[in-house]
Amino acid sequence: MYIRTGFEIAIACTAETPLLLALSLHSTYDNRIIGSDRIRIEPEVPMDEYIDSFGSRRTRLVAPVGSLGVWSDCIVEDSGLPDPYDWNANQHEIAELPSETLMYLSASRYCETDELVEQAWALFGETPPGWARVQAICNWVHNHLTFGYHFGRPTKTAVEAMRERTGVCRDFAHLSIALCRAMNIPARYASGYLGDIGAPPSGAGDFSAWFEAYLGDRWYTFDARHNTPRIGRVLMVRGHDAADVAMITSFGSYDLELFRVWTDEIHGLDTDRDRLRLLEVRPNAPALTLAPIERV
Amino acid sequence: MYIRTGFEIAIACTAETPLLLALSLHSTYDNRIIGSDRIRIEPEVPMDEYIDSFGSRRTRLVAPVGSLGVWSDCIVEDSGLPDPYDWNANQHEIAELPSETLMYLSASRYCETDELVEQAWALFGETPPGWARVQAICNWVHNHLTFGYHFGRPTKTAVEAMRERTGVCRDFAHLSIALCRAMNIPARYASGYLGDIGAPPSGAGDFSAWFEAYLGDRWYTFDARHNTPRIGRVLMVRGHDAADVAMITSFGSYDLELFRVWTDEIHGLDTDRDRLRLLEVRPNAPALTLAPIERV
Amino acid sequence: MYIRTGFEIAIACTAETPLLLALSLHSTYDNRIIGSDRIRIEPEVPMDEYIDSFGSRRTRLVAPVGSLGVWSDCIVEDSGLPDPYDWNANQHEIAELPSETLMYLSASRYCETDELVEQAWALFGETPPGWARVQAICNWVHNHLTFGYHFGRPTKTAVEAMRERTGVCRDFAHLSIALCRAMNIPARYASGYLGDIGAPPSGAGDFSAWFEAYLGDRWYTFDARHNTPRIGRVLMVRGHDAADVAMITSFGSYDLELFRVWTDEIHGLDTDRDRLRLLEVRPNAPALTLAPIERV
Amino acid sequence: MYIRTGFEIAIACTAETPLLLALSLHSTYDNRIIGSDRIRIEPEVPMDEYIDSFGSRRTRLVAPVGSLGVWSDCIVEDSGLPDPYDWNANQHEIAELPSETLMYLSASRYCETDELVEQAWALFGETPPGWARVQAICNWVHNHLTFGYHFGRPTKTAVEAMRERTGVCRDFAHLSIALCRAMNIPARYASGYLGDIGAPPSGAGDFSAWFEAYLGDRWYTFDARHNTPRIGRVLMVRGHDAADVAMITSFGSYDLELFRVWTDEIHGLDTDRDRLRLLEVRPNAPALTLAPIERV
């Protein structure tokens, strides 16, 4: 399956503003991209790219005074299969976990595992370890949190989502991660493109957040927000939690003037040359509604 | 200068309990150690050692039912000089910071930089950037926080320390780090041995926490708790904050039965052979008082 | 208009449990009641009744071991008119407020006015003082809080509702009260029966919470939850906030086995004797769903 | 014993500012005052006095633009005895408490009893009911909270003091009250003059806060801050907690320019005429240090 993914963002700054972006496809996609995954900006200013310690490709630049357009557009080859699952994937003893997974047992900024241990064991201590336990956590989070964009805020944590019973996809992920870690299952944050391929039409494409848990000798994708295997998840970044991988980190303020995302299956094109030609014109994805942030 | 550093800890478990230790000298000390920095345990059970992503040496084991002794004892060669300082060390523009320092600008579990930006700029926005700004932060934290062991708790964060105006060395470090990051200065947590060499006698040796800030193209040590350059700081671990480098992370509960630390200058021994002989008997450091943790 | 109001509650205790009830019609209804507003219990145990400092009628008893039924049923004569309003009702200068209204300017348990002054003035400082200002507060609360029974919890406060953007009727009232007080308008909590007379059918009768604000030399009823004048509001209790007038305060735990409320207009009965006869049989109000409270 | 009590406060306003004062001796002192307990202001503006629902005498006025002096000075006849105590004072069953004491079992703004029930029973469930239980609460609060003026803040609550382990006299009172109520003992806030009569000299006179608990058919004074019976406590106000009886409630901002308090035993004067003559000149109490409140 071929998926066209891209975004277009326009911001305006009143002073030169350093930006740190996490808007590229993950470094593991390299050989599955048609076209270029490069970040493009207008007007052109110098950009630096580096790969952070989680393998996420990051971009650094200084936004000039005035408007800045940032966009990217390419085609990704994808298996076309739903998120893999394995009901028999076992949970590892702490002593057997690969050492590089251990850091995903610790509390992090938005996943205060240390505050949730007691609640986690009360809720999930009786569930069978392994896949069923992570699924039980996803079910609980999916069923107890009410989704709503107005329930998001940049500093909202897992403990707060637990108490408030509300959140956006990021909060569903953070709470699930914090609960997994409390049950001694390594869990990490992931984010990327997720459209409505194989699911009921849901309007504009968008970025989404989910998480990965380490079971049966590998990392598996889980998504407490949708709580069903999805097709066409295109990974951009990973980290302990959203603190590591904010899409735009700005060192100074800016106005967001446009924000639109597309992530669509490509049908009826047989050659890469045809696919490349498609990229000559940016698609007409609708702008995501930019709720005016209230100053309260 | 030669410093003998070591500790002896005894714990008791009622079930097999996986432990993750951060009790070794930092990997950068390798060629400056006389004797062995190995962690020793009794009874002997299998141990794994690995180096985490911050360069800290970590040890993994499963504590058996009953008592477990853990100790280490060696001699470190040290410059004997106070923490270096450079009043002229400049603050880097975001765009000029090495990419590997950027992760130390983000909020982390106990350093909620994202909640402190406004307060940080109100307090330090008028200070000159660079060394003077970090020093101003240390001065403020040193002068506004009251130190006391009973003011510590495992989940205490920078925001809480700011509001409560109290803490232990860990809290002094966390608050300073969070404020530095809010002012766009990379800052990271560090912890190790710190005795009273070159300072008034302060009784038993102990572990201590401090922090490092990136200025003038390198990391410098700062310590808002003591707020004066110190001699004989022996580094064990580094991380975003204490969540990355808890001395003992246990996956299950244990009783702490003994906890003593020594960190003393060695005088009057001319050869490494003499120094090694010293290590044949463990020193008589007094046990640190183990305050019974109240269950409230 | 004649409204039949009543409730039936069944609880079970495993030990003798003192109870303090706030389940009677307010003392100001005395001459408008047909039948008896007395609280009835089964089995019969001694009860004390008193009127608290807010004019609310309170009942004290000790629940025996086992099941206890508590009910009341009577007919109230009501004007049949919607909540009165007066767009011209002025806001009083502090210096002109009657002294007995001043205590309703202070912060209270669930209305932390002292924490909300800055936000309140930012939101409502530009609104015209008087009725329009209280209405602006009701509009804001009505539009920004999402209603849901699962968003309620006994300790939830105005500040928490403000941050979480969710609540039950009690939270809508608390937040409105806290904001009014911050704008120097005396405001107090009220609670009682509210059915669906003159409104779209809404199923089972229920208790509801609203608030009163002091404008134009009197207290007026406001209801940010429904945010429209309602017919058939039957007052039970008033107080600073819900801390003063919990429906059931128990000094020990109990299980709630049944909870149903009725509040219906009586049609087609011409004499009080006919109305009294109606009270001989308790109505068939459905039991309110008793969500199992999760222990988390 | 005769005690001269008084204060002098100077404030400055940039706009007309309504003030509500709680700075008079409690209404129960009426027949024990030599001189006049009236509040005096300069320049003279109209003042209203009323007695609130707790029996506290309150004063209302509108501060003019510019400086306003507020003072009072009189002599109170006092028993000269320490706070009464009765180790045998029993704790009342809820069912036997006078109904007017029941409101002092509820949570209030700064005493979140509803959040502390579990902790209170864990700490004090084993203590004998009655006086010994209240004393145990005072001991615990006295021993676990560190006193310091810089640990006070206007919105600090009992739960926060419990967690932070710090406070001013107000916080010691709030936490004790919240814990008493959680143990079903009515408790209320009290505040007034407290000097160093019969205690080691402590410098300038001051206002202080303590609390009263209902035991053995009456209200008794307790003071977890000092935790010893004191001589010369002169009551000004009572309430649920400090939210009811702030010394100065201002509806607008002001600068505090002077704040001094005196409360001294009068020696060697035999007649009321002599005592009255003493009041002709205000005493030289030192001004209390006015710590500049940091804007953070």
Side-chain angles (χ1 to χ4, degrees), chain B residues 41-66:
Chain B
I41 54 174
E42 192 185 323
E44 288 207 11
V45 292
M47 284 192 296
D48 267 338
E49 205 182 271
Y50 68 100
I51 295 185
D52 70 17
S53 62
F54 303 103
S56 308
R57 288 162 56 205
R58 310 294 292 267
T59 307
R60 218 165 11 150
L61 70 154
V62 178
V65 175

mmCIF file of all heavy atoms in Angstrom, chain B residues 41-66:
data_model
loop_
_atom_site.group_PDB
_atom_site.id
_atom_site.type_symbol
_atom_site.label_atom_id
_atom_site.label_comp_id
_atom_site.label_asym_id
_atom_site.label_seq_id
_atom_site.Cartn_x
_atom_site.Cartn_y
_atom_site.Cartn_z
ATOM 1 N N ILE B 41 28.377 -8.034 46.580
ATOM 2 C CA ILE B 41 27.171 -8.388 47.313
ATOM 3 C C ILE B 41 27.368 -9.679 48.081
ATOM 4 O O ILE B 41 28.229 -10.489 47.746
ATOM 5 C CB ILE B 41 25.947 -8.545 46.389
ATOM 6 C CG1 ILE B 41 26.239 -9.530 45.272
ATOM 7 C CG2 ILE B 41 25.513 -7.212 45.825
ATOM 8 C CD1 ILE B 41 25.035 -9.831 44.420
ATOM 9 N N GLU B 42 26.568 -9.811 49.099
ATOM 10 C CA GLU B 42 26.671 -10.991 49.955
ATOM 11 C C GLU B 42 25.297 -11.293 50.508
ATOM 12 O O GLU B 42 24.708 -10.411 51.151
ATOM 13 C CB GLU B 42 27.660 -10.707 51.090
ATOM 14 C CG GLU B 42 28.043 -11.962 51.835
ATOM 15 C CD GLU B 42 28.920 -11.638 53.028
ATOM 16 O OE1 GLU B 42 29.760 -10.712 52.920
ATOM 17 O OE2 GLU B 42 28.724 -12.259 54.087
ATOM 18 N N PRO B 43 24.724 -12.474 50.286
ATOM 19 C CA PRO B 43 25.309 -13.610 49.561
ATOM 20 C C PRO B 43 25.464 -13.290 48.076
ATOM 21 O O PRO B 43 24.790 -12.409 47.555
ATOM 22 C CB PRO B 43 24.268 -14.721 49.757
ATOM 23 C CG PRO B 43 22.975 -13.992 49.932
ATOM 24 C CD PRO B 43 23.327 -12.748 50.684
ATOM 25 N N GLU B 44 26.339 -14.050 47.430
ATOM 26 C CA GLU B 44 26.582 -13.789 46.013
ATOM 27 C C GLU B 44 25.425 -14.304 45.164
ATOM 28 O O GLU B 44 25.025 -15.452 45.279
ATOM 29 C CB GLU B 44 27.896 -14.437 45.580
ATOM 30 C CG GLU B 44 29.089 -13.700 46.160
ATOM 31 C CD GLU B 44 30.343 -13.842 45.302
ATOM 32 O OE1 GLU B 44 30.210 -14.328 44.162
ATOM 33 O OE2 GLU B 44 31.421 -13.462 45.775
ATOM 34 N N VAL B 45 24.891 -13.423 44.353
ATOM 35 C CA VAL B 45 23.885 -13.820 43.358
ATOM 36 C C VAL B 45 24.337 -13.217 42.040
ATOM 37 O O VAL B 45 25.176 -12.313 42.026
ATOM 38 C CB VAL B 45 22.469 -13.286 43.724
ATOM 39 C CG1 VAL B 45 21.934 -13.968 44.981
ATOM 40 C CG2 VAL B 45 22.491 -11.776 43.890
ATOM 41 N N PRO B 46 23.834 -13.717 40.929
ATOM 42 C CA PRO B 46 24.289 -13.177 39.640
ATOM 43 C C PRO B 46 23.985 -11.686 39.511
ATOM 44 O O PRO B 46 22.946 -11.216 39.961
ATOM 45 C CB PRO B 46 23.472 -13.973 38.607
ATOM 46 C CG PRO B 46 22.997 -15.192 39.342
ATOM 47 C CD PRO B 46 22.868 -14.809 40.777
ATOM 48 N N MET B 47 24.905 -10.950 38.925
ATOM 49 C CA MET B 47 24.723 -9.519 38.676
ATOM 50 C C MET B 47 25.034 -9.237 37.212
ATOM 51 O O MET B 47 25.932 -9.839 36.649
ATOM 52 C CB MET B 47 25.703 -8.699 39.519
ATOM 53 C CG MET B 47 25.326 -8.580 40.979
ATOM 54 S SD MET B 47 26.355 -7.314 41.768
ATOM 55 C CE MET B 47 27.988 -8.055 41.603
ATOM 56 N N ASP B 48 24.298 -8.300 36.646
ATOM 57 C CA ASP B 48 24.604 -7.813 35.298
ATOM 58 C C ASP B 48 25.009 -6.369 35.397
ATOM 59 O O ASP B 48 24.387 -5.603 36.138
ATOM 60 C CB ASP B 48 23.348 -7.858 34.413
ATOM 61 C CG ASP B 48 23.263 -9.151 33.646
ATOM 62 O OD1 ASP B 48 24.306 -9.797 33.466
ATOM 63 O OD2 ASP B 48 22.136 -9.509 33.273
ATOM 64 N N GLU B 49 26.011 -5.985 34.647
ATOM 65 C CA GLU B 49 26.359 -4.574 34.616
ATOM 66 C C GLU B 49 26.174 -4.038 33.212
ATOM 67 O O GLU B 49 26.447 -4.729 32.237
ATOM 68 C CB GLU B 49 27.796 -4.349 35.084
ATOM 69 C CG GLU B 49 27.969 -2.947 35.637
ATOM 70 C CD GLU B 49 29.398 -2.650 36.063
ATOM 71 O OE1 GLU B 49 29.757 -2.921 37.226
ATOM 72 O OE2 GLU B 49 30.150 -2.129 35.224
ATOM 73 N N TYR B 50 25.666 -2.818 33.107
ATOM 74 C CA TYR B 50 25.582 -2.184 31.790
ATOM 75 C C TYR B 50 25.753 -0.681 31.978
ATOM 76 O O TYR B 50 25.671 -0.167 33.092
ATOM 77 C CB TYR B 50 24.260 -2.507 31.085
ATOM 78 C CG TYR B 50 23.041 -1.903 31.729
ATOM 79 C CD1 TYR B 50 22.460 -0.734 31.226
ATOM 80 C CD2 TYR B 50 22.451 -2.496 32.837
ATOM 81 C CE1 TYR B 50 21.347 -0.180 31.810
ATOM 82 C CE2 TYR B 50 21.327 -1.945 33.431
ATOM 83 C CZ TYR B 50 20.782 -0.786 32.921
ATOM 84 O OH TYR B 50 19.684 -0.235 33.514
ATOM 85 N N ILE B 51 26.029 -0.009 30.888
ATOM 86 C CA ILE B 51 26.183 1.448 30.917
ATOM 87 C C ILE B 51 24.965 2.049 30.254
ATOM 88 O O ILE B 51 24.620 1.689 29.126
ATOM 89 C CB ILE B 51 27.488 1.869 30.212
ATOM 90 C CG1 ILE B 51 28.665 1.310 31.021
ATOM 91 C CG2 ILE B 51 27.571 3.383 30.102
ATOM 92 C CD1 ILE B 51 30.023 1.736 30.521
ATOM 93 N N ASP B 52 24.275 2.933 30.963
ATOM 94 C CA ASP B 52 23.035 3.473 30.394
ATOM 95 C C ASP B 52 23.334 4.604 29.413
ATOM 96 O O ASP B 52 24.489 4.932 29.150
ATOM 97 C CB ASP B 52 22.059 3.892 31.504
ATOM 98 C CG ASP B 52 22.533 5.115 32.254
ATOM 99 O OD1 ASP B 52 23.423 5.843 31.765
ATOM 100 O OD2 ASP B 52 22.006 5.358 33.361
ATOM 101 N N SER B 53 22.298 5.208 28.859
ATOM 102 C CA SER B 53 22.505 6.171 27.773
ATOM 103 C C SER B 53 23.148 7.467 28.263
ATOM 104 O O SER B 53 23.526 8.313 27.471
ATOM 105 C CB SER B 53 21.180 6.467 27.064
ATOM 106 O OG SER B 53 20.267 7.052 27.965
ATOM 107 N N PHE B 54 23.276 7.632 29.576
ATOM 108 C CA PHE B 54 23.947 8.813 30.130
ATOM 109 C C PHE B 54 25.392 8.513 30.541
ATOM 110 O O PHE B 54 26.043 9.337 31.146
ATOM 111 C CB PHE B 54 23.183 9.332 31.348
ATOM 112 C CG PHE B 54 21.757 9.657 31.047
ATOM 113 C CD1 PHE B 54 20.741 8.795 31.426
ATOM 114 C CD2 PHE B 54 21.427 10.813 30.369
ATOM 115 C CE1 PHE B 54 19.418 9.084 31.136
ATOM 116 C CE2 PHE B 54 20.108 11.114 30.075
ATOM 117 C CZ PHE B 54 19.102 10.242 30.461
ATOM 118 N N GLY B 55 25.854 7.284 30.259
ATOM 119 C CA GLY B 55 27.212 6.929 30.642
ATOM 120 C C GLY B 55 27.327 6.455 32.084
ATOM 121 O O GLY B 55 28.430 6.230 32.569
ATOM 122 N N SER B 56 26.202 6.320 32.762
ATOM 123 C CA SER B 56 26.241 5.854 34.147
ATOM 124 C C SER B 56 26.304 4.327 34.151
ATOM 125 O O SER B 56 25.647 3.669 33.364
ATOM 126 C CB SER B 56 24.985 6.307 34.898
ATOM 127 O OG SER B 56 24.791 7.705 34.750
ATOM 128 N N ARG B 57 27.121 3.790 35.068
ATOM 129 C CA ARG B 57 27.241 2.328 35.164
ATOM 130 C C ARG B 57 26.154 1.804 36.086
ATOM 131 O O ARG B 57 26.039 2.220 37.223
ATOM 132 C CB ARG B 57 28.640 1.954 35.653
ATOM 133 C CG ARG B 57 29.678 2.193 34.558
ATOM 134 C CD ARG B 57 31.087 2.259 35.086
ATOM 135 N NE ARG B 57 31.436 1.069 35.836
ATOM 136 C CZ ARG B 57 32.369 1.028 36.777
ATOM 137 N NH1 ARG B 57 33.039 2.133 37.091
ATOM 138 N NH2 ARG B 57 32.632 -0.081 37.392
ATOM 139 N N ARG B 58 25.378 0.888 35.591
ATOM 140 C CA ARG B 58 24.222 0.372 36.312
ATOM 141 C C ARG B 58 24.394 -1.114 36.573
ATOM 142 O O ARG B 58 25.037 -1.830 35.787
ATOM 143 C CB ARG B 58 22.951 0.591 35.490
ATOM 144 C CG ARG B 58 22.784 2.018 34.980
ATOM 145 C CD ARG B 58 22.572 3.001 36.103
ATOM 146 N NE ARG B 58 21.295 2.798 36.735
ATOM 147 C CZ ARG B 58 20.179 3.432 36.405
ATOM 148 N NH1 ARG B 58 20.211 4.318 35.429
ATOM 149 N NH2 ARG B 58 19.059 3.197 37.041
ATOM 150 N N THR B 59 23.813 -1.595 37.642
ATOM 151 C CA THR B 59 23.929 -2.994 38.025
ATOM 152 C C THR B 59 22.536 -3.555 38.250
ATOM 153 O O THR B 59 21.697 -2.905 38.863
ATOM 154 C CB THR B 59 24.736 -3.125 39.328
ATOM 155 O OG1 THR B 59 25.971 -2.440 39.160
ATOM 156 C CG2 THR B 59 24.980 -4.574 39.681
ATOM 157 N N ARG B 60 22.325 -4.756 37.728
ATOM 158 C CA ARG B 60 21.037 -5.394 37.866
ATOM 159 C C ARG B 60 21.194 -6.719 38.583
ATOM 160 O O ARG B 60 22.120 -7.469 38.284
ATOM 161 C CB ARG B 60 20.463 -5.661 36.474
ATOM 162 C CG ARG B 60 18.997 -5.432 36.467
ATOM 163 C CD ARG B 60 18.397 -5.309 35.129
ATOM 164 N NE ARG B 60 19.159 -5.651 33.975
ATOM 165 C CZ ARG B 60 18.571 -6.124 32.867
ATOM 166 N NH1 ARG B 60 17.268 -6.327 32.859
ATOM 167 N NH2 ARG B 60 19.279 -6.368 31.799
ATOM 168 N N LEU B 61 20.323 -7.011 39.503
ATOM 169 C CA LEU B 61 20.356 -8.302 40.192
ATOM 170 C C LEU B 61 18.983 -8.581 40.776
ATOM 171 O O LEU B 61 18.110 -7.726 40.770
ATOM 172 C CB LEU B 61 21.403 -8.314 41.307
ATOM 173 C CG LEU B 61 21.114 -7.470 42.547
ATOM 174 C CD1 LEU B 61 21.851 -8.046 43.757
ATOM 175 C CD2 LEU B 61 21.543 -6.026 42.302
ATOM 176 N N VAL B 62 18.811 -9.810 41.240
ATOM 177 C CA VAL B 62 17.574 -10.159 41.932
ATOM 178 C C VAL B 62 17.934 -10.465 43.371
ATOM 179 O O VAL B 62 18.656 -11.432 43.650
ATOM 180 C CB VAL B 62 16.880 -11.370 41.273
ATOM 181 C CG1 VAL B 62 15.620 -11.739 42.055
ATOM 182 C CG2 VAL B 62 16.539 -11.054 39.825
ATOM 183 N N ALA B 63 17.453 -9.626 44.286
ATOM 184 C CA ALA B 63 17.752 -9.831 45.701
ATOM 185 C C ALA B 63 17.017 -11.076 46.184
ATOM 186 O O ALA B 63 15.827 -11.244 45.908
ATOM 187 C CB ALA B 63 17.320 -8.615 46.518
ATOM 188 N N PRO B 64 17.728 -11.954 46.890
ATOM 189 C CA PRO B 64 17.066 -13.161 47.387
ATOM 190 C C PRO B 64 16.215 -12.834 48.618
ATOM 191 O O PRO B 64 16.294 -11.734 49.158
ATOM 192 C CB PRO B 64 18.247 -14.052 47.776
ATOM 193 C CG PRO B 64 19.325 -13.092 48.151
ATOM 194 C CD PRO B 64 19.135 -11.876 47.288
ATOM 195 N N VAL B 65 15.411 -13.789 49.035
ATOM 196 C CA VAL B 65 14.679 -13.635 50.287
ATOM 197 C C VAL B 65 15.682 -13.556 51.429
ATOM 198 O O VAL B 65 16.664 -14.290 51.441
ATOM 199 C CB VAL B 65 13.724 -14.832 50.490
ATOM 200 C CG1 VAL B 65 13.050 -14.745 51.854
ATOM 201 C CG2 VAL B 65 12.698 -14.849 49.373
ATOM 202 N N GLY B 66 15.461 -12.623 52.346
ATOM 203 C CA GLY B 66 16.367 -12.468 53.484
ATOM 204 C C GLY B 66 17.229 -11.239 53.333
ATOM 205 O O GLY B 66 16.886 -10.309 52.609
#
